[in-house]
Amino acid sequence: MPRFDTVIVNGLVVTAADSAYYNIGIKDGKIEALAREFSSADLEGCEIIDAEGAYVMPGGIDGHVHLCQDLKTGPNKLGGRCSDNFETGSRSAAAGGTTTMVNFASQDRLDEADRSLIGVVQRYAARAQSTGSYIDYAFHVIITRNDPDVLQSELPVLVKEWGITSCKLFMTYDTMRLTDRQLLDVMVAARKNSVTTLIHAENGDAIEWLTEQLEARDMIAPYYHALSRPPLIEAEASNRAIALAQLVQNPILFVHIGSPMAAQNVREAQSRGLPIYAETCPQYFNLTWQDLKRFHSPTCFENSKMICSPPPPAEKNDHEALQRYLANGTFTIWSSDHCPFRYDDPDGKPAGVLEHAGSMQGESGDGHNPAAPCTSVYHEVPKEDLSRLLARKMGHFKHVPNGIPGVETRLPLLFSQGLLTGLISPSRFVELTSTNPAKLYGMYPQKGCLMPGSDADLVIWHPQATFKPFALSNSHLHHNVDYTPYEGQTLSNWPRYTMVRGKLIWSNGKIVGQLSHGNFVKRGPNSLHQRPQPFGTDLRNVATWL
């Protein structure tokens, strides 16, 4: 019997700690051995993959992915249907070097059937199982209610039986946000169960007030989405969340930090020794407010393709500030916040027109014409009719689903713009994209590293000397979205091989794996947080008596 199933040879193996030339022996989906070289007997009967001197890294772990989510909360129940399911989302992830993704199972506050968090997770698990996944996956649970009985009885079950050890809380969006009091309730319950708390930090009341002021001035085109959520909104909310977390001694991770102001809040808290972590994403390093004017004119509705929350930074010099926080360790993880909405689907970006009474005023027609009253008829609108409607309407930014695609481009963008430019080292790249997410979300050392006994999840890049840079086009990508916000960006490398538990899923530009290969990952607690009393004992800052 062969010693190994597969051996990776001639690769520059990179971990979060160091890099060196090693061969990697894989057996039964696990890393069996690393060695300078294997004997001819060791190699007999196994598949050999020659990395040709290229980087070999732990497979990417994307800790922020939205698949199969239906958030149609507009006046006419349009908008907010994520266009990727587990099949198309995992396919796109694998093509971009990601081997594990953590998806959100979202509680719907308005649906009494979603009161049970266990029921929420069961329904999302069924969605994953209905299609299968090319790569491994896990769940965060989004909590939008503070029902004491549910928090007390169900969080322990999610941790013990499902291995779901992270939850997400919102400080904005009318149907999702929690008040400060509700945040404290959930934070305390999370702390008691060693559940990592993710925070979407934006001041929802301030956003609503600013939106009303913009509406009064007829400033409703997609560009004004940015003005309704200036960086101060994120800075205030992140500062408040840090104070609440300190009060109840609860470690938190801020998702999708998009402004230097909020990053500075995180840095200051970290400097005081608090277990405050931060995630950032490619959109905050590649886009600016000007991208909300990219198409044709500032009032062109096609600019809605670029709407996400928080918005991209105002100017390019903000990119430079964020790059410093990326390099100095302030940011813990690099995720995609893949939240895909199509432009040719009424339940995608076009909801910004279809849900806006002002845009639809005076329109009339039948079920084959989008110029009909805002009803479910829009679910059957021919794409050419929808396109003609969108071309002549400005819409309203507040009805546009917030989110952009990016699970496939997450690693190549950082590799090209961070690693190859010298902004970050290869080890820091691995730390941000794989090892830290594995530790933060309780998957380490099963995931996020290259050591004997770990899952054989790897990404192997092209040899840099032979790779020809190219301009990205949506036609290169494998998601179920009709655009990419990074159209035209120059990429200087791309994953050559993606391997999940010892099986090739992506090889030389093609999906070669089985859709049924991906497994659900049962997770443990956050291993980045190990200090017993990081918040101190000063009763002026910490309610230690809790």
Side-chain angles (χ1 to χ4, degrees):
M1 179 180 293
R3 180 183 176 189
F4 303 118
D5 299 323
T6 305
V7 173
I8 313 296
V9 301
N10 300 323
L12 179 54
V13 176
V14 183
T15 70
D18 50 33
S19 58
Y21 286 95
Y22 283 104
N23 296 333
I24 302 175
I26 297 167
K27 183 72 173 179
D28 297 329
K30 300 285 187 179
I31 293 176
E32 180 75 15
L34 287 83
R36 290 289 186 182
E37 59 180 284
F38 292 120
S39 68
S40 57
D42 290 333
L43 299 177
E44 186 175 346
C46 71
E47 179 184 11
I48 297 177
I49 297 176
D50 190 348
E52 300 183 74
Y55 287 120
V56 178
M57 297 175 171
I61 298 174
D62 194 338
H64 196 141
V65 178
H66 297 270
L67 303 177
C68 288
Q69 278 193 272
D70 189 344
L71 304 172
K72 294 181 285 186
T73 57
N76 299 290
K77 304 303 181 185
L78 295 174
R81 181 173 60 192
C82 289
S83 59
D84 274 317
N85 59 19
F86 279 82
E87 177 183 0
T88 61
S90 66
R91 178 182 69 198
S92 185
T98 291
T99 56
T100 304
M101 58 185 174
V102 191
N103 192 61
F104 289 95
S106 182
Q107 185 182 46
D108 184 345
R109 179 189 295 165
L110 304 179
D111 186 350
E112 196 62 23
D114 268 4
R115 186 172 183 273
S116 168
L117 295 174
I118 294 173
V120 168
V121 170
Q122 288 172 334
R123 283 188 281 279
Y124 274 87
R127 295 171 191 178
Q129 293 163 5
S130 69
T131 61
S133 174
Y134 287 101
I135 67 173
D136 289 350
Y137 62 94
F139 291 116
H140 308 292
V141 61
I142 294 176
I143 300 176
T144 63
R145 306 166 60 127
N146 64 325
D147 301 316
D149 57 329
V150 174
L151 295 176
Q152 182 175 355
S153 64
E154 295 198 1
L155 273 186
V157 176
L158 288 178
V159 172
K160 182 177 180 180
E161 297 184 9
W162 286 83
I164 293 178
T165 54
S166 51
C167 67
K168 182 179 180 182
L169 313 180
F170 283 83
M171 300 175 75
T172 188
Y173 299 130
D174 185 51
T175 60
M176 305 183 81
R177 76 173 181 256
L178 300 174
T179 65
D180 288 355
R181 178 173 181 163
Q182 292 170 326
L183 288 169
L184 290 169
D185 282 343
V186 182
M187 282 185 181
V188 169
R191 186 198 71 191
K192 290 179 178 178
N193 291 279
S194 298
V195 171
T196 298
T197 305
L198 285 61
I199 302 287
H200 178 136
E202 291 183 291
N203 186 315
D205 285 337
I207 291 169
E208 289 184 357
W209 185 85
L210 287 169
T211 299
E212 291 172 1
Q213 302 305 310
L214 289 165
E215 285 177 319
R217 294 159 176 79
D218 200 31
M219 299 165 72
I220 59 174
Y223 169 76
Y224 296 108
H225 170 78
L227 298 190
S228 75
R229 309 170 103 100
L232 186 64
I233 297 297
E234 185 184 37
E236 185 282 328
S238 58
N239 187 61
R240 178 159 41 100
I242 290 169
L244 297 177
Q246 183 175 5
L247 178 68
V248 298
Q249 307 169 77
N250 184 48
I252 58 174
L253 167 89
F254 289 108
V255 294
H256 47 51
I257 290 288
S259 69
M261 294 173 70
Q264 177 59 33
N265 286 342
V266 173
R267 184 69 175 177
E268 191 277 333
Q270 291 171 342
S271 71
R272 292 190 282 126
L274 301 182
I276 307 297
Y277 308 102
E279 165 196 87
T280 194
C281 310
Q283 49 267 41
Y284 305 114
F285 291 72
N286 290 275
L287 307 177
T288 69
W289 287 4
Q290 290 304 308
D291 286 288
L292 287 163
K293 300 179 179 179
R294 179 186 298 186
F295 297 102
H296 314 303
S297 74
T299 58
C300 173
F301 184 72
E302 192 173 359
N303 292 309
S304 66
K305 290 178 177 179
M306 316 308 284
I307 286 180
C308 60
S309 292
E315 300 176 351
K316 288 190 174 181
N317 61 6
D318 292 317
H319 293 167
E320 298 173 3
L322 290 171
Q323 287 169 0
R324 290 193 292 272
Y325 290 115
L326 190 74
N328 69 15
T330 300
F331 290 122
T332 313
I333 60 175
W334 174 269
S335 305
S336 68
D337 191 6
H338 179 75
C339 194
F341 301 104
R342 294 184 65 92
Y343 190 68
D344 62 2
D345 186 335
D347 284 314
K349 298 296 185 178
V353 167
L354 301 176
E355 292 278 23
H356 180 224
S359 290
M360 301 309 297
Q361 186 175 6
E363 299 288 342
S364 62
D366 56 30
H368 298 290
N369 188 328
C374 292
T375 68
S376 60
V377 71
Y378 286 122
H379 294 280
E380 303 170 2
V381 173
K383 290 183 179 179
E384 60 272 18
D385 290 346
L386 181 62
S387 177
R388 285 194 288 268
L389 176 67
L390 300 180
R392 64 178 191 268
K393 297 294 183 179
M394 180 170 62
H396 193 319
F397 67 82
K398 78 175 183 181
H399 296 303
V400 176
N402 286 204
I404 56 177
V407 70
E408 188 169 347
T409 48
R410 175 182 74 110
L411 293 184
L413 283 167
L414 185 60
F415 194 100
S416 298
Q417 300 168 0
L419 190 157
L420 292 180
T421 63
L423 174 66
I424 58 173
S425 69
S427 288
R428 175 68 173 147
F429 178 93
V430 169
E431 183 181 54
L432 284 162
T433 62
S434 185
T435 304
N436 275 358
K439 291 180 176 179
L440 184 72
Y441 296 133
M443 292 183 275
Y444 187 88
Q446 177 186 352
K447 306 286 187 184
C449 61
L450 300 175
M451 65 174 66
S454 300
D455 285 355
D457 296 348
L458 300 100
V459 57
I460 304 173
W461 298 84
H462 285 269
Q464 196 59 49
T466 61
F467 189 87
K468 184 178 179 180
F470 70 99
L472 179 68
S473 169
N474 194 55
S475 62
H476 294 126
L477 303 178
H478 297 77
H479 55 201
N480 184 34
V481 192
D482 51 355
Y483 76 96
T484 171
Y486 310 113
E487 187 81 28
Q489 291 272 20
T490 298
L491 296 176
S492 300
N493 210 318
W494 193 272
R496 185 180 181 187
Y497 302 105
T498 303
M499 178 178 285
V500 179
R501 287 180 286 105
K503 298 293 185 182
L504 282 176
I505 303 299
W506 169 261
S507 175
N508 289 302
K510 295 181 179 179
I511 291 288
V512 297
Q514 298 297 313
L515 177 57
S516 60
H517 184 64
N519 283 343
F520 174 74
V521 180
K522 187 175 181 179
R523 300 180 287 124
N526 173 4
S527 62
L528 281 178
H529 171 56
Q530 297 177 329
R531 292 181 58 199
Q533 286 188 318
F535 293 97
T537 58
D538 188 339
L539 288 172
R540 291 172 295 185
N541 301 319
V542 185
T544 56
W545 47 269
L546 285 170

